[in-house]
Amino acid sequence: MDDNKIIALYINRDETAVAQTAEKYGQRLKRISYDITEDAQTAEECENETYLKAWNTIPPQNPVDYLFVYLARIIRHISLDVCRTRGRQKRSAVITELTAEMEECIPSPDDIVSRLEYQELGAAISRYLYTLSDEKQMIFIRRYWYLDSVETIARRLGIGQSKVKMTLLRCRKGLQEYLWKEGYEL
Amino acid sequence: MRGKEMLDAVGYLDETLILKAERPEQKKSIWKLWTTAACICLLLGGLMIPQLLSGHTDNSILSSINRIYDLFNAMFISENGKLTDDDYIAQIADLPVNDAQLYASFESLDEMIESTHANVIVRCTVAERGDCIVYDPWGSYSEDDLDADVDISVAAQRCLSTSYTLTISDCYLGNLAVGDEITFYAPYGILDGYTYRKARVPLFGVGAEYILVLRAEEINGEIVYNLSYTPDSVYVVANPSNSKYSAVETAEGSLFYVYRDDVSAVEAHIRALVSENNYNTTIEKFTSGKNKQ
């Protein structure tokens, strides 16, 4: 079923919307969550929460042109939250490490997010990423969106781990400068 | 906390970027993999022939060949075709085929058939579901290994497969006839409480109908059928409501993708591919060897 029809089901409060969504995107969504949580049961729970959240937010949201990405964002957010709140030791350590890496991109000590909507900041980061090569984009997004390990990224791209680490370091520095130049915080 | 918020903000990246990064990379790597592997096989073959002619074989060469088979076997049974498991990666680490560790994916059925050397494509109905066993045609692992020490047990769990008797209703590629029955082993299952990864439900429902892309080989005189590649080798044609597991449940309980396209379109596509391409339907013969380390 195409996305237009699935969205129409949500808007008409037809409960088959969830089943259709699960059928079309369930596997991909669960994969995103599993990569973050590394736990099949948790991934399933996150998947179910994602459907609930979609049910509660469509309408008023109408992600007709980007339903998968809309759901993917939700499940990523939920999965991250689960890792943080449940404090599973191994995954928490990974999230903490990623959080520390992202700290390096913040251009000032002020609380940047309190004055900028997440979406605006996400759009700014996107603009920065569009200035990079495909490979650098891939490395950055696989690390900070999909939360892949450095080893996984290296394997995926067929490059060395040291190259991945170096690219991430340069990307973080570049992003910090970009946000600074864009006037996000001076 | 601010790093946390930055990490959350990354969640709002442009959808094009997110989708682009989700796409499997290394389409070329599978070609490199097969090419490299073919070169290795030729090289090993070249090394072996003089020794075979002289009546001597070098165990290290035989061992290397067995490990290359392991490598392909690992690729075919590992989830999404990725060689992600540490011990498989360790197993092949010193082989000159590092591309095997990379992500393999195919953009078309044609590419998948050619790259995985699929030689049988059938439409079939599941007549019977057998028991889950440790299925290793190469003879490395058996049921007893499930209770062995951790490394061996994990390796044996990877071989857990469930047997199915399939009744052929159409054969698009290969030499099977309508009405033939074949035994087919699908990865995953549960045996004596052992399972591997997310294999909580059997993949195939009894009475359900599928189109399967298979790789047939003759090992020790027995024809062995395996899915040519996961996740792109299973099409669900019909799954009757009286089946214990619905198509969606079985799909979600496994790592295979399920195509719900119009069946006639899928069939037409397959028939066109088979008529346009001269796919090799030869069933290669192998002799298994003990290669347990």
Side-chain angles (χ1 to χ4, degrees), chain A residues 36-180:
Chain A
I36 295 172
T37 61
E38 290 192 342
D39 183 77
Q41 194 179 340
T42 308
E44 264 180 37
E45 290 169 18
C46 292
E47 185 195 0
N48 289 333
E49 274 192 53
T50 300
Y51 299 141
L52 181 64
K53 179 111 180 176
W55 178 256
N56 289 334
T57 54
I58 310 173
Q61 299 292 328
N62 186 16
V64 70
D65 295 325
Y66 56 101
L67 178 59
F68 173 69
V69 172
Y70 181 76
L71 298 166
R73 282 175 180 148
I74 293 174
I75 201 163
R76 176 184 181 272
H77 184 75
I78 290 171
S79 304
L80 271 173
D81 268 1
V82 165
C83 286
R84 286 167 180 150
T85 53
R86 294 191 188 174
R88 294 182 62 239
Q89 204 170 5
K90 189 177 163 196
R91 292 311 288 167
S92 283
V94 173
I95 305 294
T96 304
E97 181 189 340
L98 286 164
T99 304
E101 287 178 22
M102 290 312 293
E103 292 258 3
E104 295 173 22
C105 307
I106 300 171
S108 93
D110 291 346
D111 188 355
I112 187 170
V113 184
S114 66
R115 281 177 284 118
L116 291 170
E117 293 293 330
Y118 284 132
Q119 287 186 8
E120 283 181 31
L121 187 53
I125 299 169
S126 297
R127 287 197 295 278
Y128 166 70
L129 290 175
Y130 278 121
T131 68
L132 304 178
S133 67
D134 283 355
E135 185 178 76
K136 286 178 183 167
Q137 285 176 13
M138 176 72 81
I139 290 171
F140 186 95
I141 296 166
R142 291 303 316 183
R143 178 66 175 157
Y144 299 117
W145 204 97
Y146 290 94
L147 278 61
D148 282 356
S149 68
V150 168
E151 185 192 354
T152 304
I153 297 168
R155 214 165 45 227
R156 184 185 180 95
L157 296 177
I159 57 179
Q161 291 189 37
S162 56
K163 184 179 177 185
V164 174
K165 286 177 190 167
M166 187 54 68
T167 304
L168 287 169
L169 181 67
R170 287 177 181 153
C171 285
R172 291 197 300 268
K173 283 183 78 71
L175 176 59
Q176 184 190 34
E177 281 175 25
Y178 182 86
L179 292 175
W180 188 82

Side-chain angles (χ1 to χ4, degrees), chain B residues 78-285:
Chain B
S78 62
E79 64 177 36
N80 289 344
K82 290 184 211 174
L83 267 180
T84 52
D85 303 307
D86 291 343
D87 26 359
Y88 271 118
I89 288 168
Q91 187 182 11
I92 63 167
D94 57 345
L95 287 174
V97 282
N98 291 331
D99 285 339
Q101 298 176 20
L102 300 178
Y103 207 102
S105 82
F106 307 103
E107 287 188 349
S108 68
L109 181 60
D110 182 31
E111 192 180 320
M112 191 265 280
I113 294 169
E114 287 201 357
S115 301
T116 62
H117 299 196
N119 51 8
V120 172
I121 306 177
V122 290
R123 180 166 170 164
C124 56
T125 304
V126 178
E128 190 181 353
R129 180 166 56 229
D131 293 330
C132 176
I133 60 168
V134 173
Y135 175 69
D136 179 10
W138 303 107
S140 298
Y141 299 103
S142 67
E143 230 171 278
D144 294 339
D145 291 323
L146 289 173
D147 296 322
D149 67 47
V150 172
D151 287 348
I152 293 176
S153 176
V154 168
Q157 285 170 45
R158 286 202 184 91
C159 299
L160 284 171
S161 299
T162 304
S163 72
Y164 297 87
T165 304
L166 305 177
T167 306
I168 307 301
S169 51
D170 209 337
C171 182
Y172 313 105
L173 177 69
N175 301 313
L176 293 169
V178 175
D180 279 357
E181 287 200 335
I182 63 171
T183 302
F184 159 73
Y185 289 90
Y188 311 132
I190 300 172
L191 176 62
D192 295 339
Y194 288 102
T195 184
Y196 184 59
R197 292 186 180 275
K198 304 177 194 171
R200 283 158 299 147
V201 294
L203 174 64
F204 299 100
V206 175
E209 195 175 7
Y210 300 91
I211 293 173
L212 302 178
V213 182
L214 304 171
R215 163 88 180 151
E217 290 167 344
E218 186 182 316
I219 300 175
N220 292 342
E222 183 191 354
I223 306 286
V224 168
Y225 297 90
N226 286 302
L227 292 173
S228 70
Y229 179 69
T230 58
D232 297 322
S233 50
V234 180
Y235 294 77
V236 174
V237 176
N239 205 14
S241 56
N242 62 356
S243 171
K244 186 173 178 183
Y245 302 103
S246 74
V248 172
E249 278 171 333
T250 51
E252 290 185 351
S254 75
L255 291 162
F256 298 93
Y257 291 170
V258 175
Y259 289 80
R260 311 301 297 277
D261 295 346
D262 175 52
V263 174
S264 58
V266 171
E267 284 190 311
H269 180 54
I270 290 172
R271 286 187 200 286
L273 283 178
V274 170
S275 69
E276 288 164 12
N277 297 282
N278 189 24
Y279 296 130
N280 188 356
T281 56
T282 306
I283 296 179
E284 292 174 59
K285 295 183 181 182

